[in-house]
Every structure is written in C-alpha cells, then in structure tokens.
Amino acid sequence: MARQLPFKADGMIETRQGSGAFVAETPKSLNFRLNTGAGGEDALLHIFELRTLVESTVAELAARRRSDADVAAMRECLHRMDEALAAATDGSAADDAFPLAIAAATQNQYVLRLSEFLGRQFSESRRMAWVDHPRGMESPREAQREHYRLLDAIAAGDPAAARQAAFVHLSGAAERVGLSLPSDLGGNSKSR
C-alpha cells in the first residue's frame, strides 16, 4: 500500500521516480484551509474576523448590484428558515444558502466561489445552532432577525447599511458561540 505524502496534493511536495520526495521550489498550487477544529478560541476568533471582513464587503457590493431576482432568492432562503423555526426543525440548509444568495447578488463568480468555500467550512456549526444549541431555537431566531435587517438593507440598495447589518449579524453569531469581535473590524456598533 502506497503511503500518502502530506502536502503532495497541495503541490508543495514533488516526487521523482527513483529519486524520492522533495519540497517544491515553486508550489504548483496553494491551497487555503480553515482549521475550524484546532487552535482553540483564538483560531475561532480569527476565523470570525475573516468572515466579517469578507461577508461585510460582500453584503455592501450586493446592495449595489442586486437584481429583483437576487432579492427574491434571498427572501426564499429566509422564508425556508421561517418555516423551520415555526416547525422547530433544522433550517441549516437554508441558513447555508442565504450568504450564497447574497454573494450571487454581487454578480461576481469569484466572490460566489469564495463564499461557497467559506460556507462549507461553517455548515456544521450552522447545523449545530439549529439542532444542538443549548438555548434551543432562540439562537436561530436571533440570527433570523439579523438576517432580515441584512436583507432589508440589501433590498433597499443601501451599501453602508448592508455592511453594518452584516457586521451586526456576525458579531451576534460570534457572541452566540462565546466570542466578542473587536470593534476595529469596521462596524459602527459599540466597542466590544
């Protein structure tokens, strides 16, 4: 059985038949991964900071570029989450789809691809908020109120309000897992 070399798939290790394995002088590709399970609270805070920087900017751009169809897609995600809240069931699939609908509204395929990547990293944590959260359905209810404020700002075509609503939502999400985002990330909310 052949042994897998760490980092080979990332292009950082090259193998040469008859010579062995070597660190690549110029990696063929650079992969970016978020290690959501390691690094403790500091790593989780850094991930939330990254999400806040990206998702606030995405919301701002979506408010500038959204179409009626984009707003309808966002509303559909929130409607599906409302149904899950009413039935006290798992609405995490719709919760995963909402930031993707916002990213699609930027009309930029790479913004959407980056958002898809980030979304895959956080899908399990969203599911846990819906299914296993110690506060039950109150956590997704709080997030849903924040989602509606974000949608309203995007639908109104107000980039500054959309950026602020995204910041408030991500600050709330961080607080629901026991973290406080630093105020220097660009939100206008009170200093944390």
Side-chain angles (χ1 to χ4, degrees):
M1 175 190 231
R3 189 180 74 146
Q4 289 290 88
L5 292 173
F7 307 110
K8 183 174 182 188
D10 294 342
M12 297 173 75
I13 301 290
E14 294 177 345
T15 56
R16 297 181 197 137
Q17 189 170 1
S19 297
F22 303 88
V23 174
E25 285 186 41
T26 306
K28 292 179 179 123
S29 68
L30 295 176
N31 288 322
F32 180 72
R33 292 187 183 104
L34 299 177
N35 193 351
T36 57
E41 191 173 303
D42 283 344
L44 187 58
L45 178 60
H46 291 164
I47 289 168
F48 264 99
E49 286 182 353
L50 174 64
R51 280 188 65 198
T52 301
L53 292 168
V54 171
E55 293 181 31
S56 295
T57 303
V58 169
E60 181 179 15
L61 188 58
R64 287 191 171 96
R65 296 183 175 176
R66 85 279 178 258
S67 67
D68 291 343
D70 293 322
V71 172
M74 288 177 240
R75 284 193 199 289
E76 176 57 28
C77 294
L78 296 187
H79 175 72
R80 290 183 9 232
M81 282 186 271
D82 285 338
E83 289 177 337
L85 283 166
T89 58
D90 181 4
S92 61
D95 202 351
D96 284 342
F98 182 61
L100 297 180
I102 294 171
T106 69
Q107 314 307 321
N108 182 314
Q109 67 174 322
Y110 295 106
V111 169
L112 179 57
R113 288 177 59 193
L114 176 61
S115 296
E116 288 170 340
F117 167 77
L118 289 173
R120 281 191 297 274
Q121 305 297 313
F122 298 106
S123 183
E124 181 60 22
S125 66
R126 285 189 186 111
R127 193 191 71 71
M128 288 172 56
W130 282 88
V131 177
D132 297 325
H133 199 277
R135 294 175 51 216
M137 296 306 277
E138 188 51 34
S139 180
R141 278 189 194 92
E142 288 172 2
Q144 187 72 335
R145 289 188 287 272
E146 296 159 2
H147 290 152
Y148 272 105
R149 285 190 287 276
L150 178 54
L151 172 62
D152 290 346
I154 293 171
D158 187 337
R163 176 181 277 281
Q164 179 61 23
F167 178 84
V168 168
H169 170 57
L170 287 157
S171 292
E175 286 175 4
R176 287 186 285 279
V177 296
L179 299 172
S180 291
L181 287 182
S183 61
D184 66 353
L185 288 176
N188 296 326
S189 63
K190 65 183 183 276
S191 181
R192 297 186 188 281

